[in-house]
Amino acid sequence: MSDFKEVLGLPVAQCNAPYEDRGALTMRVGIPHRSGGLAAHAFRSGYQAMVSANAFYDRKRRAFRIPDATDLSEVDFALDSAGFMAIALWKAHGTQDGMAGVYPWSLSEYLAFATQVGASWYAAPDLCCEPEVAGSAHEIDYRVRATATLLEATLRQLWVWQNEVAKQCNARTVANMLPPPIPILQGWRPADYLRSLELTMQVWRRWEPWIAPPALIGIGSVCRRALHHRDHGLMAVLAELEGRLPEGARLHLFGVKGACLEEVRKLPWVGSIDSMAFDVGARRAALIEGKSNTIQHRAKEMTRWMIERRCA
């Protein structure tokens, strides 16, 4: 049930992450499929999960597909907008038909899917900045600004849809059907993320008090960076943002390596992280042991990874 107030039949002060635990760090395991054995194992084990929008996209039909019932249906999962996949696709095949000429799907297609799929929260679309896909400071700056522009477009579309739905439904129904997203900060160096935060909050505050200040903010382009690099390590980025977040806001870190967990666990303003490091480890272990990387093997590695990192 969404956290909001009501004014003249419309929801206001809507929270973008009403279901998040405001206490301990939340660890979400990455699930690369929209159903199947890994999702079932996460459910049986009581793990929270992160799933990419790409897992639900049917490229032949050029449309999202939400199964009537899947093993994921009973899992507490969050939705990643698949920004890295989109950039990689754009780099490999050129201009796409969707958002910013980068995504294969339009903004309205993504929002319709993201608000119906059953995720606890969903990420706003973003343009990632890892060195593999962003070759210059100019390109990174463009993507930081474009990510803020995509957030503006997202909130504008939600505002229009909420007003339309409110003509026939009460405020609670509107808020539950069309919740606000998790804004994403992008960049590579600490100063990039600070600039991204400034632009993000300029956009977000224009839409207050219709939406409340963000309770959760995502940090993108994390999974391919070192922890302690002086110029672009994760801890350097977090140190730059410390004390500058909106009051009460916490961070979600996308794609954190296992080695980072003990460090970020010490930061009370980091609320959640996700990782598929267990699956990378499963592939490596299967190769070394000369055996098939089955779903059962991957599920076992998921459990081992979570236990070793005190997340289970």
Side-chain angles (χ1 to χ4, degrees):
M1 186 175 294
S2 297
D3 184 7
F4 72 99
K5 298 178 182 178
E6 181 178 347
V7 174
L8 299 176
L10 283 171
V12 298
Q14 298 170 84
C15 179
N16 71 340
Y19 308 106
E20 286 297 285
D21 185 349
R22 302 302 172 90
L25 179 73
T26 296
M27 175 68 219
R28 294 185 178 275
V29 292
I31 304 292
H33 314 119
R34 63 174 177 256
S35 185
L38 289 181
H41 181 72
F43 169 66
R44 289 193 298 268
S45 303
Y47 300 154
Q48 294 162 295
M50 175 66 69
V51 185
S52 170
N54 190 51
F56 292 86
Y57 193 69
D58 187 325
R59 297 195 179 280
K60 291 183 178 179
R61 298 184 181 183
R62 300 175 70 179
F64 287 108
R65 294 181 61 194
I66 303 176
D68 292 335
T70 79
D71 296 303
L72 199 61
S73 300
E74 302 301 323
V75 176
D76 172 357
F77 74 95
L79 185 73
D80 178 15
S81 70
F84 185 85
M85 177 283 304
I87 286 286
L89 190 67
W90 171 75
K91 294 281 282 189
H93 301 290
T95 302
Q96 300 297 298
D97 293 333
M99 286 184 283
V102 171
Y103 283 83
W105 48 76
S106 69
L107 176 61
S108 59
E109 288 171 334
Y110 174 66
L111 288 179
F113 158 71
T115 54
Q116 294 176 39
V117 72
S120 294
W121 56 259
Y122 67 97
D126 64 312
L127 299 183
C128 61
C129 297
E130 285 94 335
E132 298 94 320
V133 292
S136 68
H138 174 76
E139 195 167 3
I140 290 171
D141 179 67
Y142 171 80
R143 293 186 187 177
V144 166
R145 290 183 287 111
T147 294
T149 300
L150 287 171
L151 177 62
E152 170 69 25
T154 298
L155 296 177
R156 188 176 299 275
Q157 183 69 75
L158 285 171
W159 166 257
V160 171
W161 284 357
Q162 283 203 358
N163 276 270
E164 285 299 313
V165 174
K167 294 176 182 178
Q168 301 181 36
C169 301
N170 62 36
R172 182 168 300 282
T173 299
V174 173
N176 287 336
M177 286 179 62
L178 298 165
I182 304 303
I184 308 301
L185 306 187
Q186 274 296 349
W188 185 245
R189 298 181 183 276
D192 300 329
Y193 284 92
L194 186 57
R195 171 67 170 154
S196 185
L197 175 62
E198 292 169 351
L199 293 173
T200 293
M201 292 313 301
Q202 286 176 19
V203 170
W204 197 271
R205 287 181 178 128
R206 281 202 295 271
W207 293 96
E208 295 176 2
W210 169 59
I211 49 177
L216 192 65
I217 298 173
I219 304 293
S221 299
V222 167
C223 63
R224 289 167 174 80
R225 71 174 67 237
L227 179 60
H228 290 296
H229 193 284
R230 183 179 60 184
D231 294 331
H232 51 71
L234 176 59
M235 298 310 294
V237 170
L238 295 178
E240 187 75 8
L241 295 173
E242 185 174 9
R244 293 184 165 99
L245 298 175
E247 184 177 357
R250 302 178 80 194
L251 297 178
H252 175 83
L253 309 182
F254 287 90
V256 168
K257 298 174 183 176
C260 300
L261 260 176
E262 290 307 312
E263 295 289 339
V264 300
R265 204 189 296 270
K266 302 171 186 175
L267 306 176
W269 40 279
V270 175
S272 60
I273 62 177
D274 69 82
S275 181
M276 281 194 66
F278 78 89
D279 217 19
V280 176
R283 289 197 299 271
R284 185 181 298 116
L287 181 63
I288 292 173
E289 296 169 16
K291 64 182 184 182
S292 178
N293 188 27
T294 63
I295 290 293
Q296 290 75 18
H297 171 68
R298 294 163 72 187
K300 181 179 178 181
E301 285 296 306
M302 180 192 294
T303 296
R304 183 190 63 78
W305 194 91
M306 291 288 281
I307 290 174
E308 286 184 356
R309 283 148 187 85
R310 297 184 288 117
C311 298

